[in-house]
Amino acid sequence: MFEGRINKIIVFFIYISVFVNSIVLIKDPFEFYIGYLVFLLLLPVFLMRYGIPSILTVIFSVLLVSGIINIILGYNTAGLFLKIFTGAFFSYLFYYYVIIESKYNIEKLFQLYLKGCYIVSLIGLIQFLSFHVGFKPGYDYMWLLNKWGYYSGGDFGMRVNSIFGEPTYLGACVSAGMFVSLYNLIVKKPYYLNKIKSAVILVTYILSASGLAYVAFFLAIIFLLINFGLIRYVLVFVPILFGAFYYAYNNVSEFRERYDSTIDIFSAGKFEIGKTHGSSIILYNNYRVAKENFSRNWLFGTGLGSHSIAFEKYSIMKNEKIEGFNQNGADASSMLLRLISETGLFGSGLMLLLTFRCFVARSQTISSQIPEYYWLISGGIMIMILVNLFRQGHYFLNGFPFFVWMYYYNYVNYKEYLSTISTKENQVKDVSGMFAIK
């Protein structure tokens, strides 16, 4: 896959587009991120070589027609729609071409992703240590054309974000690598990353002090518990699960405040400014907006990019003068809420169908004939999809479409592998039957 020096450079920039969302090359007249370079250079070449796949043509044709109708009806504007539609379409198109160019070698692509997780986690660990020894160039990466800098505060003195825009982005993008790393520390024979590299990823992940990262961590433990057998491994995983939650709740104030506030506001529908965590209020507000917009436009939503307009109509905080509570009006603070609001049952249903229909459980690969990586890739990326649906509202941030395609084609490859095994078994039976004594 991608053999030769030139192609290795191409692979490098593809993964730059996944892991780096904070380095801005140009700020005016618009922000030009370093990851955009690979799109501009490769997309025209791929487009001429492969054309546009029918599956994307069908899905985005529906979104296009729906978007135009909603613009005419006044639920959306052409500017908002085109910005998100073109970004989402070309992102999914580009990463589809990457899958083809790799000859559908999902394991290799995932291994390169794991290598990237280790590198950015190592940088995060250096960032944390540099902060505590007072070496500013080692923890504040503004000198690297970085848009966001670093995040001080939290119970660790700083919240590690490595080269990501913020700790939450690290929690989302590295979540699949965290899942594999946790698996590697539990089993005797680790997958791809050794135990030291896996430990580096887990330590950095915890030092991010991101609520989203902790949610992903708890999901990873639950996934491992389910995959390895609830009864057999209950004494291993359940203490880890409760121990991790107990530690995070009692020692990480950011996690405790967000957890308590989210449970309270969604169970009772009441909040108090100054007491309820701000991010919980923002998420609940966007939930209410998405719910109202969906009830009026349930089939196709009001079009890509339209949640900000729905937010202006239905926000319960629109008259609140305190700064910050009307943030995330464009991305709904959650991809699932945004899909529900902007694409209705069509878009949200399609994403949920893909997520649960294409999942490969360990019980399906328990046979020694079936490689372990099928369920590891599936489990890791499913966690990534779930945490993005829960708390990331951007459709194509950090190469999210890339992982959607990997998730889908990992399932396709798995089904083809099963078919190959079945064919070989039938051939053996046919041959043995020829020599049977009758």
Side-chain angles (χ1 to χ4, degrees), residues 21-169:
N21 71 344
S22 57
I23 296 181
V24 183
L25 299 180
I26 301 173
K27 292 187 177 181
D28 292 312
F30 65 95
E31 292 183 340
F32 188 90
Y33 293 91
I34 191 171
Y36 291 175
L37 284 174
V38 68
F39 282 75
L40 290 178
L41 294 174
L42 295 181
L43 191 56
V45 177
F46 285 157
L47 188 59
M48 289 186 293
R49 184 182 299 175
Y50 300 115
I52 301 176
S54 57
I55 185 172
L56 280 186
T57 301
V58 172
I59 293 172
F60 278 90
S61 292
V62 173
L63 295 174
L64 178 62
V65 172
S66 171
I68 292 173
I69 292 173
N70 280 297
I71 292 170
I72 294 172
L73 294 175
Y75 294 129
N76 202 358
T77 67
L80 288 172
F81 172 74
L82 288 174
K83 178 182 177 181
I84 304 303
F85 179 85
T86 54
F89 175 72
F90 286 115
S91 292
Y92 274 93
L93 186 62
F94 174 77
Y95 288 114
Y96 172 79
Y97 292 146
V98 172
I99 300 293
I100 295 177
E101 195 71 14
S102 73
K103 297 180 175 59
Y104 303 95
N105 190 344
I106 304 303
E107 186 191 16
K108 182 61 177 179
L109 292 174
F110 190 72
Q111 288 176 345
L112 290 171
Y113 158 75
L114 291 177
K115 183 180 291 186
C117 286
Y118 170 67
I119 293 171
V120 298
S121 296
L122 192 60
I123 293 172
L125 201 56
I126 293 171
Q127 181 188 36
F128 183 78
L129 295 173
S130 297
F131 177 82
H132 284 282
V133 298
F135 180 59
K136 190 172 182 179
Y139 67 83
D140 186 348
Y141 299 138
M142 291 290 285
W143 57 269
L144 193 62
L145 303 176
N146 191 300
K147 178 183 177 182
W148 302 102
Y150 73 101
Y151 285 74
S152 60
D155 296 276
F156 302 119
M158 74 167 296
R159 299 174 60 205
V160 171
N161 63 306
S162 184
I163 56 174
F164 292 93
E166 58 183 73
T168 300
Y169 296 160

Side-chain angles (χ1 to χ4, degrees), residues 80-265:
L80 288 172
F81 172 74
L82 288 174
K83 178 182 177 181
I84 304 303
F85 179 85
T86 54
F89 175 72
F90 286 115
S91 292
Y92 274 93
L93 186 62
F94 174 77
Y95 288 114
Y96 172 79
Y97 292 146
V98 172
I99 300 293
I100 295 177
E101 195 71 14
S102 73
K103 297 180 175 59
Y104 303 95
N105 190 344
I106 304 303
E107 186 191 16
K108 182 61 177 179
L109 292 174
F110 190 72
Q111 288 176 345
L112 290 171
Y113 158 75
L114 291 177
K115 183 180 291 186
C117 286
Y118 170 67
I119 293 171
V120 298
S121 296
L122 192 60
I123 293 172
L125 201 56
I126 293 171
Q127 181 188 36
F128 183 78
L129 295 173
S130 297
F131 177 82
H132 284 282
V133 298
F135 180 59
K136 190 172 182 179
Y139 67 83
D140 186 348
Y141 299 138
M142 291 290 285
W143 57 269
L144 193 62
L145 303 176
N146 191 300
K147 178 183 177 182
W148 302 102
Y150 73 101
Y151 285 74
S152 60
D155 296 276
F156 302 119
M158 74 167 296
R159 299 174 60 205
V160 171
N161 63 306
S162 184
I163 56 174
F164 292 93
E166 58 183 73
T168 300
Y169 296 160
L170 184 152
C173 189
V174 182
S175 55
M178 175 275 300
F179 173 75
V180 174
S181 297
L182 186 60
Y183 164 84
N184 286 344
L185 293 183
I186 293 171
V187 299
K188 292 182 179 180
K189 186 178 180 181
Y191 173 75
Y192 190 67
L193 299 171
N194 61 36
K195 292 185 181 294
I196 294 176
K197 291 181 178 179
S198 298
V200 168
I201 291 174
L202 285 174
V203 169
T204 299
Y205 204 73
I206 293 170
L207 291 176
S208 71
S210 163
L212 186 71
Y214 290 134
V215 168
F217 186 75
F218 298 140
L219 281 176
I221 296 173
I222 293 171
F223 270 45
L224 290 171
L225 179 60
I226 293 172
N227 276 290
F228 278 90
L230 185 64
I231 304 300
R232 185 178 178 184
Y233 287 90
V234 67
L235 295 177
V236 176
F237 289 112
V238 170
I240 294 176
L241 177 62
F242 282 99
F245 180 83
Y246 180 84
Y247 175 83
Y249 187 84
N250 289 282
N251 294 280
V252 184
S253 58
E254 179 75 12
F255 174 78
R256 180 175 61 253
E257 291 169 7
R258 289 195 180 199
Y259 175 82
D260 288 341
S261 295
T262 302
I263 295 297
D264 290 343
I265 197 170

Side-chain angles (χ1 to χ4, degrees), residues 267-334:
S267 59
K270 298 179 181 179
F271 58 90
E272 183 180 341
I273 296 176
K275 183 178 180 181
T276 306
H277 197 284
S279 66
S280 299
I281 297 175
I282 293 170
L283 180 62
Y284 180 71
N285 188 22
N286 278 288
Y287 159 75
R288 291 286 297 270
V289 172
K291 183 180 177 182
E292 288 294 326
N293 205 33
F294 179 78
S295 66
R296 292 166 172 79
N297 310 275
W298 61 271
L299 187 56
F300 293 107
T302 49
L304 292 174
S306 65
H307 184 77
S308 57
I309 295 176
F311 189 88
E312 293 175 4
K313 293 180 181 178
Y314 308 121
S315 171
I316 60 177
M317 301 295 292
K318 59 185 175 183
N319 297 320
E320 180 57 55
K321 302 301 181 183
I322 300 176
E323 186 178 355
F325 286 106
N326 287 301
Q327 291 180 347
N328 302 101
D331 67 9
S333 196
S334 158

Side-chain angles (χ1 to χ4, degrees), residues 362-372 418 421 425:
R362 183 172 181 268
S363 59
Q364 296 172 276
T365 64
I366 205 69
S367 169
S368 60
Q369 300 181 73
I370 303 175
E372 190 88 345
L418 285 183
I421 291 176
E425 288 177 347

